[in-house]
Amino acid sequence: MRILLCEDDENLGMLLREYLQAKGFNADRYADGDAGYKAFLKGKYDICVLDVMMPKKDGFQLAQEIRSVNSEVPIIFLTAKTIKEDILEGFKIGADDYITKPFSMHFIKNLSSHYLIQYSTTPYDLRQFLQGKFEQSDNSTY
């Protein structure tokens, strides 16, 4: 499964990317919304994980542009913006989920697996998931 990860915090972005890759996902990280959108147009992504506050193009704008070309790909916001209006805006734009920081890496992995099973258009060996390949516990909070 291929994940578009847009996170401007270099340390968190690299940590998330490496964690997802270690769990068997193919994650591409971009540090701003403009680069993320260009990558989305060129590649085929199964899930988009977007920070809201990014340079050049924020996550809300990026999600709107992604939705204008693909209404099916799951979009998960991963952000420090916790006020009700921001959360509602995220869902209004078409987010499938809205996760606030700090968060557990285990939660991100399980969400990715959930959306993979529900929405993926790429081949996936569900037996690996059911046999626990992606079930290693990691309760770290970031």
Side-chain angles (χ1 to χ4, degrees), residues 4-52:
L4 175 69
L5 173 62
C6 294
E7 170 61 61
D8 66 324
D9 180 302
E10 186 174 347
N11 292 327
L12 178 58
M14 295 306 291
L15 187 65
L16 271 168
R17 183 177 160 269
E18 289 173 10
Y19 179 83
L20 289 166
Q21 288 178 338
K23 297 301 179 185
F25 300 105
N26 180 5
D28 299 327
R29 179 196 166 251
Y30 297 91
D32 65 74
D34 191 46
Y37 185 64
K38 289 175 183 173
F40 182 82
L41 292 176
K42 291 179 182 177
K44 182 175 167 92
Y45 289 95
D46 299 296
I47 295 177
C48 299
V49 178
L50 313 176
D51 186 11
V52 172

Side-chain angles (χ1 to χ4, degrees), residues 62-74:
L62 174 57
Q64 288 175 323
E65 291 179 5
I66 288 171
R67 281 283 176 252
S68 73
V69 296
N70 184 327
S71 62
E72 300 297 319
V73 66

